[in-house]
Every structure is written in structure tokens, then in C-alpha cells.
Amino acid sequence: MEGLAIWVLLSSSFSILLVSYGGDTLTPYQNLTDGKTLVSSDGTFELGFFTPGDSKNRFLGIWYKKITSLTVVWVAHRDVPLANTSGVLKLTQQGILTLQNDTNGFIWSSNSSRSIANPVAQLLNTGNFVIGGANDSNAENYLWQSFDYPTDTLLPGMKHGINFVTGIDRQVSPWKTTSDPSRGDTIFRMDPRGFPQQLLLTNSIELFRSGPWNGLRFSGSPGLKPNPLYTYEFVFNKEEVYYMFELINSSVYSRLTLNTNGVLQRLTWNYRTQEWVVYLNVPADNCDHYLLCHAYGSCIIGNSPVCGCLDKFVPKSQKDWDRADWSSGCVRKTPLDCQKGDGFLKYTGVKLPDTRNSWFNWSMTLDECHKVCLNNCTCMAYANLDIRARGSGCLLWFGNLVDIRQLLENGQDIYIRMASSELSPSFPVFLSSASWTSFRLKMGQPVVMYYILNHYVVQYYKRSTVYAQQNCFPSKLIIHSSIHCTRQGMLEDGQEVAVKRLSMYSSQGVDEFKNEVICIAKLQHRNLVRLLGCCIEGEEKMLIYEYMPNNSLDTFIFDQTRNSLLDWPTRFRIINGIARGLLYLHQDSRLRIIHRDLKAANVLLDIDMNPKISDFGMARSFGGNETQANTQRVVGTYGYMSPEYAVDGHFSVKSDVFSFGVLVLEIVSDKRNRGFFHQDHHHNLLGHAWILFNKGRSLELIDARMGDSCYLSEVLRSIHVALLCVQQSPEDRPSMSSVVLMLGGEGTLPQPKEPGFFTKRNLFFEADTSSSNNAAMSVNDISITQLDAR
Ligand SMILES: *[C@@H]1O[C@H](CO)[C@@H](O)[C@H](O)[C@H]1NC(C)=O
Ligand SMILES: *[C@@H]1O[C@H](CO)[C@@H](O)[C@H](O)[C@H]1NC(C)=O
Ligand SMILES: *[C@@H]1O[C@H](CO)[C@@H](O)[C@H](O)[C@H]1NC(C)=O
Ligand SMILES: *[C@@H]1O[C@H](CO)[C@@H](O)[C@H](O)[C@H]1NC(C)=O
Ligand SMILES: *[C@@H]1O[C@H](CO)[C@@H](O)[C@H](O)[C@H]1NC(C)=O
Ligand SMILES: *[C@@H]1O[C@H](CO)[C@@H](O)[C@H](O)[C@H]1NC(C)=O
Ligand SMILES: *[C@@H]1O[C@H](CO)[C@@H](O)[C@H](O)[C@H]1NC(C)=O
Ligand SMILES: *[C@@H]1O[C@H](CO)[C@@H](O)[C@H](O)[C@H]1NC(C)=O
Ligand SMILES: *[C@@H]1O[C@H](CO)[C@@H](O)[C@H](O)[C@H]1NC(C)=O
Ligand SMILES: *[C@@H]1O[C@H](CO)[C@@H](O)[C@H](O)[C@H]1NC(C)=O
């Protein structure tokens, strides 16, 4: 809205008789008679009597002194005019301002429940006319201030809202006409019901609703954003609720005024043209008109007609809607059935509905919010209260959702209650709360996808479209089925996701698969990629992950140019993040997952280059029948596999620790363990690191470009820990909890023993490839899914 329309407001002409009184204060022994004025000390504002437009009456008010066309910002007695220039303003000994005419008739007085000795009334530079103690400039102690009784204008520093302690409700209402400052029909006020919102009303009929404050702005004021002109704040606590703005440069004049047409405008003085310029109009467009599209309708500016029903809703009366009469609103296609279990559908980019019938809690998370709303059949929707950071707080709606509009920018998310059948159109509900539907793996085909939200098992489904294949990393291709491939997809709500198609090898049943996905989706850690859901059709299984914009770690460290993008602090953060993610899998999660395929390609990087382990649990979960310690099928990647696992199929958390050690050495050196070549010996990277360590020359491992001395101790410590992790015997390797502590600089580091698999010649798979297996084995970083051990 801001900056939407800038047009020039022609200023009305006022006549005024000016004789400055001089000072900015009035004491009990002084009278302010017509013709005399008070002027704020910096000369910005002036207080005195004036005649508006072509009126015959006189009014006491405040105006900008330096602006030639009289711009009145406050009127003391707007509803009781003075017939002539007989008005006299006095301050009583008790600190009450009184305005009388020459027959001592009462015109107006200030109002205060307290009194003080030696009161003084002063016109401040802000335009606030205050009564306080003579030497007391503390605003808390003002007996009275004009800012508490706005007329039609909000000045910088003026609180628009309610003080719950004093009961002061600062409302704005327009002049009746440009010649009559008496109260017009419209008011602009803060409505404290439910979660507070600003309302514009005419004769108690809503014209406009700002929507609730979301931490950044009012939900319905998408244009309210940091600007060079003013700052703003919203305060809401037990004592008060208000919106206030302050000028960045106080010599620029800017105000919010409710004009005689009932339109709220932000006006800014243009010194050059000597005119007030309109920067903002509220309501700004047709969709700003309160309740235009009624219940569950959504207003979209630019559409014809502007009103439509929200997705999954239909007009209550199609006949009315066909006549562009939207007053009956919309209803759900499928009625709610709370007993059978409803769910929630996410709508994005909206102005949140009227919050007068809402409930809120600042400290609840979105998950908790969801839960509370789900458990109360009258709760129709929920949303985050504060959208800053990742969102916090909880806002719940009861009753119909009204006055929703689609916003072009800065719209918000809201989760609206929906019958579960609407969320999963064609399939019965499994597992009491889960539903599964089919998908077609054609590009651009709509897919009904199973979407798991956070910790809660299956409460939320999303009809989604997995868009055309954009990325298909050959390195993810798997032996035996060439369709193991990651694609980038997008949900309807715009969320980018990674879609991973699993190969068909798994004989695991659909129910087992679903159980596993649900279990794994419950695992949450900042260093694990989040599994959002999955799709199944017959043999076909797909997993939907959160999308990681910076791809995988191997695309950085093994790339001669891109590796320079990772400085040591980033690398160290990545190492620590992987360690914590692995620790969570091993120890903290309820499932106690052994990854079995930790490698650089399975460490994804988020937008801030935080590492996230991917593919965790899949190896264990979908790998077939296995005991805790042995498997018929070795799943993993050469170069990262521990000897006992590769050779004997024996795996444990310590085989992951081994892979972690390899990974750390790769991160430090930018070299692959497998395929490592050195002219002096035939060892792989582990062997090379081991030799250098024993010669006290570990630093030769790192790239010279990275050799900033201030991090050397961290580098050395990382190498040392890595060598402890890759020791031959699983018993010698530290647990991930020790690794995390050791990396953090705690605990003494023991001397490592010889690493496992450090020389290329003892690698079992090299002997093996010659006998039976296929050429793919020589390809780096291929995940082996099926390999008969011995
Ligand atoms: C103030 O006005 C009153 C009458 O309204 C008058 O009696 C008094 O003398 C005036 N005081 C001054 C200082 O003008
Ligand atoms: C104001 O009007 C009254 C009566 O109409 C009159 O007596 C008085 O002199 C007027 N005062 C001034 C200052 O014009
Ligand atoms: C003075 O004010 C009283 C009360 O408002 C009113 O009745 C009276 O007519 C006024 N007199 C003048 C001269 O304005
Ligand atoms: C003065 O305050 C009382 C109580 O707070 C209130 O009832 C009254 O309307 C106020 N009067 C004015 C003129 O503001
Ligand atoms: C306020 O301060 C002035 C000078 O600082 C002093 O003369 C005056 O007595 C003080 N008034 C009160 C009420 O304290
Ligand atoms: C504030 O605004 C005035 C008037 O436009 C301008 O002259 C002055 O340079 C501005 N001051 C700052 C600090 O920008
Ligand atoms: C808000 O939520 C928190 C956390 O769930 C809870 O401790 C608190 O009691 C709630 N406050 C209210 C007023 O319900
Ligand atoms: C649902 O919420 C409403 C409104 O807050 C409340 O009055 C009602 O008691 C709640 N019902 C249950 C079952 O919690
Ligand atoms: C990570 O991704 C973000 C967003 O795509 C990008 O701005 C940033 O430059 C990337 N970081 C690196 C190191 O490539
Ligand atoms: C898995 O192995 C166990 C014991 O070896 C056996 O009892 C069970 O039937 C097997 N399950 C499947 C699905 O093959």
C-alpha cells in the first residue's frame, strides 16, 4: 500500500490571526487569550485559537507553525465551538486547563484525577501539549497530555491504542467538514478483542481491519516495512497495546490523518512544492474493504470478480455468487467431522482473518499450536503469532474465518481445519491417522503426496505437484536399479523439496515401509535432513526431503575451484555438525540408527552451509532382513567402510565412527580417501595421514590456501580425532559422544593406533573385483546396495 499512490493533496485554506505569546508554557497566573499563542521551543508547533475554513467559530488547537497553509493536528473542544474571540485558556492551581468565554461560560477543560503543586502546561516540540510539575519532565508524571486525546491526526510519538490501566483509548476520528472540526462518523481505533487489530469503522460498521501484528507489521499492511522516513513499533502487554511511529529525521513532517472522507492517509510535507503529499491510503484497494468476500472467501485484487472461495471451499449460494453477491460466503466442500478426525491445510500468502474471536499464546510453538487446535473441534485455524525467525507463538481462530485476502507480497501462512477426506481424497486412512495415495511419475503430473509434519505422525497432507525433473545426480545412481535418483521438486505452496526415488529392490511391504518412514520422520535434529513424507505406488517408493540449496559436501571439497569457498571455520563447523548429527542417530534418537553409508555425498548443506546428514536410517530400514550385528548385504561405499563391516558384514555404531573419521580427513585435505595417490607410497588417504601424523607433519595434509595459523590447533585436533576414529579395531574407536567432546577441545586425546584399511593393497574389494564383481565398483562414491559378503 505504501508508495502505491502518490498524489498531491490540495490544502484547505484557513484563516488565522497570529500574535505569538512567546513562550511554550502556561502557568496558573497567566491567561491565554485569543490572538496569543504558545510556540514549541524549536518552533515546530504552535497552540492558540483559529477559525477553520469558512466557519465563523473559533477553536483552540495546535498546528504546524512553519507551514503556511494552516494544518491543524489537534483541537481541544471540537464539539463545542466558541462563537467569537472571547475564549480564555487558563491553568488552575491544581493543574487543570480550562477554557472559558467572556461570560465565564465553560467551553472545555482537561481532565485529571490527580493534582500537583506548581503545575505548568507546556507545548513540546513533538506537538504534545502536556501538564506536568514545573521542574518535572518525566512523561510518566504528566497530569494530562493532548497525545492521549487525538483528534484526526496521529503524530510521531503518539500511541494509537489503549492503556488498560488508565482506560485511555486513543481513537482518531475525522473532522465533519474542512470547516467543522466536530467529530465525524468514522473512527480509527485499536480493537483489543481477541488479538488486537486496528479497525476503521463508520457508525460501528467495519470498513477496514489492519489484521493482527505479526512481529514485522500488521498482517493486512504488507507495505509497512523499514523505510527512510519513519520507524514503527507495536507494543502489546498487560498494561497497554499501541502502534506508534517515529520520524527518522524530525525536520521532515509526516503524519497519519483520517480525512473527512473516512480515508486514513499518511501525509508528508514537501518543502519544495509546499504541499502535503499522500504516501499511503487506507483502505488501499477494493480488497481492503472489510468482509467483502465474507466467510472463507478470499479477495484477490486483479481478479474479476475479486472474490473467490478459498481452495476446498465452494460458494454457499452459487446463485448469489453468480450475481456478484458474496454475502452468503463460502462453505467447505466436505463438512468437518471432528470425531472422525480432521486435519489442517496450509494456505499461504494471505492476510490473516479477523482475530476478534481468537486466542493466542506467545510461547507456544507451531506444533503445540497445531495440537491444541486439533483437539478443540471449534478451533478453525491456527498460525504463528510472530513470523520473525522461523516463527513462534500461537494464534487460534474460533468460528468462521472472515476477511481474508490474498496479498501480493508479505502474505502469511495459515492452517485451516479440513475434513480428513479432503486431505487425502481417494484412499482410506491407514494406521489410524495416515493415508496414502498414488502418484504418477510423469513430469508435471499432479501427485497426491503424503506429508508428515514435524513430530506428529501424519496430521497433514498436501496435494502437491512434483515438477519436472531438474537435477538427477548420476552419483546417486545405484547398482542394480538405475532409477535411484534425486530430483528437485516443489510443493504447491512453493516449498522446495528433494524427491528421492527408491529402487525396487526392497521386498519390504508397504506397511513396513510406511512405519519406517513415520519413525524416521519423527527424528529431528538440525544436522539431519528432514524427511517430509513419501509416496508409494505398488513397488514404487519415493521419499520427500527438505531441499538443500547448497547441494552436498562432495561438490565443494572435491572440486578444485569450489573448495576455496570453504574456509576453515566453515569446515570445522561442518565437522562438528556431522558429529552431532551422528551422535543423535546413535544415541539420542529413540531409534538408535546406524547410518552405514556416511560419506561426503550424503552430507547436504543448507543455505547457511550447515551440514545435514541425509539418507540416515534408509540403509538400516530398507535394507532387508538383518540382525543388529550382521547383515547378508553390505550397504555402504568403498573408501568409507570399516574393515569389519566390509569384510565380515559386521556393523555397529563403530563402523559409522570409522566412516566419520574418513570424512573428517577428506574435509581437512580436500582429497578422497579412495583414489588417493601419493608418489612416495601406496597408501590411501588414511595411510598418508597416519604417516604424516607419526612424523609430526600433519599440517601437510591441509591445503596451503587454508593454512591460517590461528586455526592450526583446531586443524591438528581434527586430524588427531579422525585418526582415532579410523583405528583398525572397533573397540579402540571412540564413541560419537567422545568425538563431540574431543572436537570441542575437552578431554585428552589418546594416541591413535594404526588405521584400518590404510594401504590400498589390503583392501578386500580390490581382490574381490578381479574375481566376481562388476566394473561399477571402481567408480568412486557409488553406494553399494547389494554385495554378498563372502
Ligand atoms: C486572567 O483572566 C481573568 C479573567 O478571565 C482575569 O481576572 C485575570 O486578571 C487575568 N489574569 C491575567 C494575568 O491576565
Ligand atoms: C462575544 O459575544 C458576546 C455576545 O454575543 C459579546 O458580548 C462579546 O463582547 C463578544 N466578545 C468579543 C471578544 O467579541
Ligand atoms: C459562553 O459559554 C456558555 C456556555 O457554553 C454559553 O451558554 C454562552 O452563550 C457563551 N457566551 C458567549 C458570549 O459566547
Ligand atoms: C474525565 O474523566 C472522567 C473519569 O475518568 C470521565 O468520566 C469523563 O468523561 C472525563 N471528561 C472528559 C472531558 O474527558
Ligand atoms: C524549578 O527550578 C527553578 C530553577 O531551577 C527554581 O527556581 C524553582 O523554584 C523550581 N520550582 C520547583 C517547584 O521546584
Ligand atoms: C533532515 O531533513 C531536512 C529537511 O529536509 C534536511 O535539510 C536535513 O539535511 C535532514 N537531516 C538529515 C540528517 O538527513
Ligand atoms: C502458553 O503456552 C505455554 C507453553 O505451552 C504454557 O506454559 C503457558 O501456560 C501458556 N499460557 C497460557 C496463558 O495459556
Ligand atoms: C475450545 O475452545 C473454546 C474457545 O477457547 C473453549 O471455550 C472451549 O472450552 C474449548 N473446548 C475444549 C474441549 O477445550
Ligand atoms: C549457499 O546457497 C545460498 C542460496 O542458494 C547461496 O546464496 C550461497 O552463496 C551458497 N553458499 C555457497 C558457499 O555456495
Ligand atoms: C528375518 O530373519 C529372521 C531370523 O533370521 C526370520 O525369523 C524372519 O522371518 C526374517 N524376516 C524376513 C522378512 O525375511
Side-chain angles (χ1 to χ4, degrees):
M1 285 190 294
E2 192 94 347
L4 195 92
I6 299 179
W7 45 271
V8 171
L9 182 81
L10 294 173
S11 41
S12 328
S13 55
F14 296 98
S15 64
I16 183 161
L17 180 66
L18 283 185
V19 182
S20 264
Y21 182 76
D24 64 347
T25 54
L26 186 70
T27 62
Y29 301 103
Q30 297 170 321
N31 293 340
L32 189 77
T33 52
D34 200 320
K36 293 180 181 171
T37 62
L38 300 183
V39 176
S40 66
S41 64
D42 69 354
T44 301
F45 289 100
E46 184 163 32
L47 178 144
F49 294 90
F50 70 98
T51 297
D54 34 14
S55 167
K56 299 262 177 325
N57 293 322
R58 299 291 285 170
F59 291 90
L60 179 72
I62 299 172
W63 56 87
Y64 289 97
K65 178 164 177 61
K66 290 175 184 167
I67 290 177
T68 44
S69 60
L70 179 71
T71 306
V72 175
V73 295
W74 182 75
V75 181
H77 53 112
R78 59 191 307 186
D79 298 316
V80 187
L82 265 169
N84 61 14
T85 57
S86 61
V88 181
L89 182 69
K90 292 184 217 169
L91 182 65
T92 68
Q93 298 281 1
Q94 290 74 39
I96 291 176
L97 283 166
T98 63
L99 180 60
Q100 293 171 312
N101 59 21
D102 47 9
T103 57
N104 283 339
F106 172 87
I107 305 294
W108 172 82
S109 84
S110 66
N111 199 358
S112 171
S113 49
R114 291 183 297 136
S115 66
I116 44 172
N118 303 306
V120 59
Q122 184 176 16
L123 180 61
L124 304 180
N125 290 335
T126 54
N128 195 6
F129 189 38
V130 304
I131 305 170
N135 293 336
D136 185 357
S137 61
N138 186 351
E140 300 279 308
N141 296 335
Y142 292 153
L143 283 186
W144 177 91
Q145 55 182 321
S146 63
F147 271 19
D148 280 343
Y149 303 92
T151 307
D152 64 342
T153 296
L154 291 173
L155 288 174
M158 217 159 165
K159 295 174 175 179
H160 182 241
I162 300 170
N163 185 318
F164 300 122
V165 179
T166 61
I168 286 172
D169 183 353
R170 304 175 202 88
Q171 309 180 353
V172 173
S173 51
W175 288 21
K176 267 218 172 77
T177 69
T178 50
S179 301
D180 179 5
S182 63
R183 231 171 282 266
D185 294 334
T186 307
I187 61 168
F188 181 55
R189 65 179 299 236
M190 190 70 77
D191 189 311
R193 287 173 286 176
F195 193 86
Q197 314 169 92
Q198 290 175 317
L199 289 184
L200 191 62
L201 309 112
T202 292
N203 298 322
S204 305
I205 296 166
E206 295 88 349
L207 300 178
F208 168 80
R209 179 182 66 88
S210 69
W213 187 263
N214 62 25
L216 295 174
R217 65 186 77 85
F218 292 105
S219 180
S221 306
L224 188 60
K225 49 191 161 195
N227 62 75
L229 190 60
Y230 60 94
T231 59
Y232 47 87
E233 64 173 331
F234 175 80
V235 170
F236 178 32
N237 54 38
K238 280 202 173 64
E239 282 87 46
E240 54 187 341
V241 55
Y242 65 82
Y243 167 81
M244 182 170 91
F245 71 95
E246 295 274 11
L247 293 176
I248 289 167
N249 178 347
S250 63
S251 35
V252 175
Y253 298 156
S254 181
R255 62 191 165 106
L256 275 171
T257 295
L258 189 53
N259 73 16
T260 52
N261 299 321
V263 175
L264 185 73
Q265 299 185 309
R266 174 171 289 286
L267 299 152
T268 300
W269 182 250
N270 184 324
Y271 282 94
R272 197 177 49 77
T273 60
Q274 295 284 299
E275 283 165 332
W276 287 101
V277 176
V278 179
Y279 271 93
L280 163 90
N281 276 326
V282 173
D285 59 30
N286 208 11
C287 283
D288 263 354
H289 286 111
Y290 184 78
L291 208 61
L292 187 69
C293 304
H294 290 265
Y296 301 107
S298 175
C299 195
I300 303 181
I301 207 78
N303 272 12
S304 182
V306 287
C307 284
C309 290
L310 289 169
D311 187 25
K312 308 284 186 199
F313 288 82
V314 290
K316 189 169 182 191
S317 159
Q318 188 64 50
K319 248 175 65 192
D320 290 349
W321 276 63
D322 291 345
R323 290 184 280 117
D325 171 0
W326 303 302
S327 56
S328 52
C330 304
V331 291
R332 287 180 177 76
K333 273 185 201 151
T334 310
L336 294 175
D337 187 347
C338 194
Q339 305 315 319
K340 264 168 75 183
D342 299 326
F344 290 89
L345 196 56
K346 180 178 177 179
Y347 294 78
T348 57
V350 302
K351 168 182 177 179
L352 294 180
D354 198 337
T355 50
R356 276 180 284 178
N357 199 1
S358 69
W359 179 93
F360 60 91
N361 181 319
W362 293 105
S363 51
M364 274 163 63
T365 64
L366 197 61
D367 287 345
E368 291 166 338
C369 197
H370 170 109
K371 220 171 165 182
V372 171
C373 196
L374 189 67
N375 290 334
N376 187 328
C377 294
T378 59
C379 178
M380 287 302 142
Y382 69 93
N384 262 142
L385 200 50
D386 190 331
I387 61 168
R388 286 174 296 182
R390 294 221 161 81
S392 61
C394 174
L395 189 52
L396 302 179
W397 281 264
F398 298 92
N400 284 346
L401 305 178
V402 300
D403 197 32
I404 299 171
R405 68 171 293 181
Q406 205 68 33
L407 295 171
L408 297 176
E409 59 164 351
N410 291 331
Q412 287 179 244
D413 295 346
I414 184 171
Y415 299 83
I416 299 179
R417 192 178 207 101
M418 206 56 63
S420 51
S421 61
E422 279 291 3
L423 304 165
S424 53
S426 50
F427 278 74
V429 171
F430 288 88
L431 306 170
S432 77
S433 55
S435 177
W436 299 81
T437 57
S438 64
F439 72 98
R440 271 152 303 189
L441 200 70
K442 288 194 188 127
M443 289 189 196
Q445 281 274 6
V447 176
V448 177
M449 198 175 69
Y450 182 52
Y451 194 35
I452 301 168
L453 187 72
N454 299 335
H455 296 279
Y456 303 108
V457 181
V458 197
Q459 291 143 337
Y460 181 69
Y461 315 82
K462 183 88 184 84
R463 189 177 161 79
S464 307
T465 307
V466 176
Y467 289 112
Q469 165 178 340
Q470 291 181 4
N471 276 314
C472 189
F473 307 115
S475 69
K476 290 275 172 74
L477 289 175
I478 215 162
I479 301 169
H480 292 293
S481 65
S482 57
I483 55 168
H484 200 119
C485 168
T486 301
R487 294 148 191 259
Q488 188 181 343
M490 189 181 277
L491 305 184
E492 262 182 2
D493 63 9
Q495 183 184 359
E496 283 188 290
V497 294
V499 181
K500 184 162 188 168
R501 191 173 174 187
L502 295 182
S503 60
M504 302 193 194
Y505 71 84
S506 172
S507 57
Q508 194 179 32
V510 167
D511 283 348
E512 268 176 285
F513 175 77
K514 284 185 293 195
N515 275 325
E516 293 284 0
V517 171
I518 290 166
C519 282
I520 289 158
K522 282 191 229 172
L523 295 183
Q524 273 201 36
H525 188 273
R526 63 190 305 262
N527 297 114
L528 301 182
V529 171
R530 262 188 63 200
L531 181 64
L532 298 173
C534 64
C535 307
I536 303 175
E537 186 180 75
E539 297 279 272
E540 202 75 75
K541 299 179 182 92
M542 280 167 93
L543 297 170
I544 317 294
Y545 290 101
E546 62 178 326
Y547 174 67
M548 290 291 127
N550 281 324
N551 218 325
S552 50
L553 181 58
D554 58 334
T555 67
F556 283 94
I557 58 176
F558 301 144
D559 185 303
Q560 297 265 332
T561 49
R562 273 161 66 83
N563 63 10
S564 62
L565 295 171
L566 299 187
D567 56 8
W568 176 256
T570 305
R571 286 170 195 251
F572 195 55
R573 212 175 64 229
I574 290 172
I575 290 171
N576 276 287
I578 299 167
R580 281 191 295 266
L582 207 50
L583 172 61
Y584 176 80
L585 286 179
H586 286 178
Q587 249 178 24
D588 300 338
S589 77
R590 286 176 297 133
L591 297 177
R592 292 182 63 87
I593 283 175
I594 299 170
H595 190 295
R596 298 206 295 178
D597 199 10
L598 184 66
K599 57 180 171 180
N602 279 343
V603 173
L604 304 184
L605 298 166
D606 75 2
I607 195 160
D608 301 317
M609 300 298 282
N610 293 309
K612 306 230 177 194
I613 300 173
S614 71
D615 282 14
F616 55 91
M618 292 304 133
R620 189 201 78 128
S621 305
F622 307 125
N625 199 359
E626 66 223 359
T627 66
Q628 285 237 313
N630 283 287
T631 181
Q632 292 304 301
R633 296 176 350 168
V634 173
V635 179
T637 302
Y638 294 140
Y640 293 92
M641 266 189 261
S642 63
E644 75 279 6
Y645 179 36
V647 176
D648 300 325
H650 182 105
F651 73 92
S652 66
V653 291
K654 295 297 181 68
S655 18
D656 276 354
V657 171
F658 184 94
S659 307
F660 175 77
V662 175
L663 186 51
V664 170
L665 290 175
E666 291 185 334
I667 293 170
V668 170
S669 66
D670 282 348
K671 305 255 182 357
R672 288 179 199 271
N673 182 34
R674 196 179 144 69
F676 177 84
F677 174 77
H678 198 278
Q679 58 196 25
D680 296 345
H681 55 71
H682 291 102
H683 296 316
N684 60 13
L685 179 62
L686 303 190
H688 182 59
W690 172 243
I691 290 167
L692 290 176
F693 179 85
N694 284 322
K695 291 183 181 164
R697 285 163 42 197
S698 282
L699 287 175
E700 288 177 25
L701 262 186
I702 66 174
D703 191 306
R705 282 175 299 181
M706 239 169 56
D708 188 333
S709 57
C710 41
Y711 303 120
L712 287 185
S713 71
E714 274 176 15
V715 175
L716 288 173
R717 178 173 284 269
S718 300
I719 294 170
H720 195 145
V721 171
L723 285 170
L724 289 169
C725 291
V726 297
Q727 294 175 99
Q728 170 78 36
S729 164
E731 294 76 42
D732 290 337
R733 295 174 210 150
S735 66
M736 283 316 293
S737 54
S738 311
V739 168
V740 168
L741 289 176
M742 290 191 291
L743 285 171
E746 289 174 51
T748 50
L749 300 184
Q751 201 58 20
K753 295 179 189 159
E754 194 175 82
F757 274 170
F758 70 91
T759 172
K760 284 179 185 173
R761 268 168 306 207
N762 71 7
L763 292 183
F764 99 102
F765 54 81
E766 292 213 335
D768 219 321
T769 37
S770 57
S771 60
S772 64
N773 270 308
N774 55 49
M777 283 195 165
S778 61
V779 180
N780 280 320
D781 276 0
I782 295 285
S783 293
I784 308 299
T785 57
Q786 191 148 18
L787 179 70
D788 291 328
R790 290 179 302 178

